[in-house]
Amino acid sequence: MSITSKRNVIIIGNGMVGHHLVEQLVENGALSQMNVTVFGEERHRAYDRVHLSEYFKGRDAEALALCDGDYYASHGVTFNSSEAVISINRAAKTLATERGNYAYDHLVLATGSYPFVPPIPGNDREGCLVYRTLDDLDAIREAAQSAATGVVVGGGLLGLEAANALRGLNLETAVIEFAPRLMPMQVDSEGGELLREKIEALGVQVLTERATQRIEDGAASRHRMVFQDDKILETDLIVFSAGIRPRDQLARECGLEIGERGGVVINDQCQTSDPAILAIGEVALWNQSIFGLVAPGYQMAKTALSTLTDGDASFAGADMSTKLKLLGVDVGSIGDAHGNQNPGARMFRYLDPLTQIYRKMVVSSDGKKLLGAMLVGDNSVYDTLLQYYANGIELPKEPASLILPQSGAAPALGPDALPETAMICSCHNVTKASICATIDAGASDLGAVKSNTRASTGCGGCASLLKSVVDHELAARGVEVDKSICEHFQHTRQELYDIVRVEGIKTFSELIEKHGAPSTHHLGCDICKPAVGSILASCFNEPITDAAHIPLQDTNDTFMANMQKNGTYSVVPRIAGGEITPDKLVVLGQVAQKYGLYSKITGGQRIDLFGARLEDLPEIWGELIEAGFETGHAYGKSLRTVKSCVGSTWCRYGVQDSVGMAIKLENRYKGLRAPHKIKFGVSGCTRECAEAQSKDIGIIATENGWNLYVCGNGGMRPRHAELFATDLDDEALYRTIDRFLMFYVRTADRLQRTSVWRENLEGGLEYLKEVILDDSLGMGDELERQMQTVVDNYQCEWAGAISDPDKLKRFRSYVNDSRPDPSIIMTSERGQLRPA
Amino acid sequence: MTATAVKQATVTQSRQAPTGQKLCSKTDLVAFSGVAAWLETPQGPTQVALFYLPGFERELYAIDHHDPFSNANVIAHGIVGDIQGAAVVASPIYKQHFRLEDGQCVEDDSVKLATWKVSFKGADVWIEE
Ligand SMILES: Cc1cc2nc3c(=O)[nH]c(=O)nc-3n(C[C@H](O)[C@H](O)[C@H](O)COP(=O)(O)OP(=O)(O)OC[C@H]3O[C@@H](n4cnc5c(N)ncnc54)[C@H](O)[C@@H]3O)c2cc1C
Ligand code: SF4
């Protein structure tokens, strides 16, 4: 090519598709031919809109971002955020923003779409919001703080997602749909009815065939919605999710061809009616269609790359099949799901009102090809059906077998039956052939295949299919799927646990000498050493600060404190059940003052002191132990806290002494080392003020004793604990928990919380009940004995450490100097110190 | 991985060797684990992590105490191990591995920690000239 100076390419919009184009330009070395500038109207750099709702579950803007903060700069791409383009001058080949004019040789419109807000009087009232950007979600979160109820206008895919979010914000939620059923685009009336039942069962009100006439001041709530028949509904917050519209205004104003119902018309090369201007993503209209999904947008981005670099790729449409979990309900739609695009097609339907599963297949008139499918309530057959559809695989003789319930597992189309051309990941265009190629080139596990091909790193819908293809291909090449914990032991954690117990092995060096993999230097590593350290502690409960165990521990365990991001440590004494005397409170305050520690009350009902220097830890703990405190094991994979409400002692509803029980439990299990941390909660009645059902072990008082719940979790992936046993007396409660915890310690993987362990446990809760309550394995006594050993051998690790000069030696920042680490710098905020 | 450790643009490859210097005594070391010590260099004081593997072919290592991924002085507090045949330490913050022998980061070719020649002289630990 005869390029004398670099061309200026400007991309308008830094959403998912615009960003993908930048990635494509970078990866294909196109930046040597062009200067690229990106304008984004939002404050944030491109983020994962598909997983937007996870923002409410704790993933922040940084975690949702599609690239590192310096990605654009490091590749020489100019990125202007918070700078919207306001006009395009095609004749001059320039565009304007509020900050200036810019010249382009090529322009790419990637402006996406905006949520359509129906023209209802009152739709602009405060508290009337939409669901598209991070800023929208911030606004919803803020409005929800002073709201008790919320309404979503629109019962489509995004509307249901928004409804789920409102529910998660603790609003009483309703969905209003204009059509006679939910998700009218994806499901038919049977499916819609089933969906409605399932969603209503979750406590979300569903109102169909409702057209809102106006929104006005409410009497009991902030707004009143008035419908066509003068029925009304009052609510504090309204989210409009009545469809999306392409953001084609810039294109309209500069005279580009626009579709009848909106969208910038593009050809197969993604060029608009002006060949110097391309359009990709949700703003583009190809062959009369807008594609409201990310995978087709990515295809367009790839096509645009080709067009900009004089290649000959073309966009040929995209499959709109989708698989979703909305409000916990599986919904799947493949191809011609309604069967109305293929005259003569035959329908197969299966409806199970008991388990609430609906499946429909649209099959060609000769019964050989799958043309479409619709699933509600269970997506287990989605992957298989999609492969039949997408690859035109001939259906079995009795097609109905694909959607009829099977006695065994779902009828999977084995990975070997898939043709080489089968599309496994449509977001990144990865076929079975390319997966095989990367395996042949040396990728030997799922992680490697993912990072080489990027399969399953888009919407993630293909994760299970990808895994089965990779496992199958590896197995076919004779690669055994390796379950060893690391290169030093050809065992799983469970196997190591059994070896330690059976052979009575008490140190890491003995274990690795006898059972380590021969090929290594027997030093171990940061995977097996802490795992074995934890197993040894679970079995024998010797102090982890003993010389033989020290090298096994993560830093936190070595120094019996959690290392913070600036290299300082936190100090967390145990405050069993959250009960503390005024005298001890005073001591905590004095110690914090003396050593300049930041103090925070935690969700586990205790007080964390942050910012201690390594060399100060022994003195701090000396003072705390003097006052009667002991270690809180906040650093260990072990029992953390037993949270409690005030119970019958103070509360008029309480039926048992929940604080007393919490203290007894915390003192019994403190010091138990486990595959992961363990939290308890005890509530004094069914009002559940201690939130016990979000804990590994939850206990709720009844008139007759205690109900026991197990395997709950808060955090990133919350899970409600499941009811395990009812009306236990104190003794039976201890016995059951002894058995349960020891069984978990014995059989879980390293770093596996009880919730994940439970989900992976074959036989599920029923099996667990058999083992623990009915003693089906005959190991109940043994489990109880093991727990008693742990309880009997408990000693406060900190008390042990400060009375042993050898152990104390370790708490020096430097062995040859007492000068503190100069890199630790603190500043003051709200009256306390924090890392600068 | 969410740990998008911001790498410093340039990573020290090797520091100018200081003249021979006693750092500490053998009893200050912790077997199969690390301790940190100050070292005077012509460029000013720097922090060294000392690892002690009694009974192994090479018993003593000295490597930069500064972790370039977290920008904190923590390497001595990492877990020692061997990976693909080489003795390594895992950073306690984001868990990258560094070879004790030459400081090379196993996960990232472009990062290498400084290392020093170190040995016992009697009961003392010396960084060599
Ligand atoms: C809650 C939610 C869930 C979703 N779930 C799925 C799913 O499960 N699967 C799926 O495939 N898809 C899903 N989608 C759709 C998917 O997010 C979109 O298809 C995709 O984001 C489209 O990318 P885009 O780049 O075309 O548009 P966008 O991501 O909307 O980006 C366009 C960007 O351009 C900016 N912009 C617009 N005009 C200008 C201007 N004049 N100047 C500067 N900047 C401008 C906008 O501010 C925006 O940041 C979901 C969407 C939402 C909202
Ligand atoms: S859970 Fe029951 S006993 Fe405990 S504080 Fe709440 S209402 Fe009172």
Side-chain angles (χ1 to χ4, degrees), chain B residues 21-103:
Chain B
Q21 206 173 122
K22 178 193 154 185
L23 284 197
C24 61
S25 68
K26 196 168 181 169
T27 52
D28 287 318
L29 302 176
V30 181
F32 298 106
S33 185
V35 297
W38 283 100
L39 173 72
E40 300 305 328
T41 75
Q43 295 87 31
T46 189
Q47 305 181 17
V48 181
L50 298 170
F51 291 95
Y52 178 36
L53 313 180
F56 275 72
E57 200 178 324
R58 179 167 167 194
E59 291 198 315
L60 199 53
Y61 294 90
I63 181 169
D64 200 343
H65 185 38
H66 183 81
D67 173 14
F69 291 96
S70 63
N71 243 330
N73 297 317
V74 293
I75 293 297
H77 308 317
I79 292 185
V80 174
D82 63 290
I83 282 187
Q84 294 153 12
V88 296
V89 56
S91 156
I93 307 238
Y94 296 124
K95 315 292 179 196
Q96 290 87 358
H97 299 90
F98 301 95
R99 286 208 299 257
L100 293 179
E101 167 107 54
D102 58 1

Side-chain angles (χ1 to χ4, degrees), chain A residues 93-373:
Chain A
K93 284 199 163 188
T94 59
L95 56 78
T97 74
E98 264 184 3
R99 287 179 220 158
N101 291 309
Y102 304 81
Y104 66 81
D105 296 305
H106 287 285
L107 194 58
V108 181
L109 297 169
T111 48
S113 36
Y114 65 92
F116 171 66
V117 176
I120 301 168
N123 64 10
D124 54 351
R125 292 164 57 89
E126 201 177 311
C128 290
L129 304 162
V130 294
Y131 200 87
R132 174 96 196 162
T133 65
L134 286 170
D135 284 342
D136 292 340
L137 266 59
D138 280 335
I140 291 174
R141 176 149 45 195
E142 201 190 309
Q145 275 173 0
S146 55
T149 55
V151 164
V152 175
V153 179
L157 193 155
L158 293 179
L160 294 186
E161 191 154 329
N164 195 31
L166 295 191
R167 220 173 124 245
L169 293 167
N170 288 326
L171 302 188
E172 210 176 287
T173 305
V175 175
I176 296 178
E177 169 59 49
F178 180 67
R181 61 173 182 276
L182 292 173
M183 291 191 58
M185 307 288 278
Q186 287 85 0
V187 306
D188 59 15
S189 49
E190 274 93 350
E193 203 42 46
L194 202 62
L195 197 57
R196 167 205 287 270
E197 278 173 34
K198 289 199 159 230
I199 286 171
E200 283 179 341
L202 295 169
V204 174
Q205 202 186 345
V206 177
L207 302 168
T208 49
E209 291 184 270
R210 283 292 160 88
T212 314
Q213 301 297 313
R214 59 179 187 277
I215 305 169
E216 51 191 39
D217 282 338
S221 308
R222 210 173 295 157
H223 314 287
R224 165 182 294 167
M225 308 179 72
V226 184
F227 303 111
Q228 73 271 37
D229 41 15
D230 281 339
K231 288 202 176 121
I232 58 160
L233 177 70
E234 296 221 335
T235 181
D236 296 322
L237 188 163
I238 300 174
V239 175
F240 288 102
S241 180
I244 54 170
R245 297 286 185 272
R247 294 191 63 173
D248 53 16
Q249 197 190 342
L250 284 175
R252 270 178 209 277
E253 287 170 359
C254 71
L256 294 178
E257 188 185 343
I258 304 289
E260 234 167 71
R261 301 200 345 255
V264 182
V265 174
I266 58 166
N267 62 13
D268 293 354
Q269 275 64 49
C270 292
Q271 287 161 316
T272 65
S273 53
D274 175 345
I277 304 182
L278 282 61
I280 55 178
E282 281 187 353
V283 72
L285 182 77
W286 179 87
N287 199 12
Q288 312 284 345
S289 304
I290 296 269
F291 296 88
L293 294 174
V294 50
Y298 283 3
Q299 293 307 328
M300 289 183 199
K302 292 195 177 79
T303 310
L305 161 78
S306 164
T307 305
L308 290 171
T309 52
D310 302 327
D312 54 9
S314 56
F315 180 74
D319 183 32
M320 296 292 281
S321 302
T322 35
K323 167 167 90 165
L324 311 147
K325 206 181 195 77
L326 293 164
L327 289 143
V329 180
D330 279 344
V331 178
S333 159
I334 293 175
D336 180 14
H338 290 280
N340 51 15
Q341 296 158 26
N342 290 285
R346 303 197 213 164
M347 313 277 180
F348 291 74
R349 289 198 178 86
Y350 169 74
L351 178 75
D352 179 343
L354 217 56
T355 52
Q356 297 192 311
I357 290 177
Y358 176 65
R359 299 180 179 139
K360 170 167 131 184
M361 285 195 302
V362 180
V363 173
S364 62
S365 54
D366 60 2
K368 291 207 165 127
K369 296 271 157 32
L370 186 68
L371 303 173

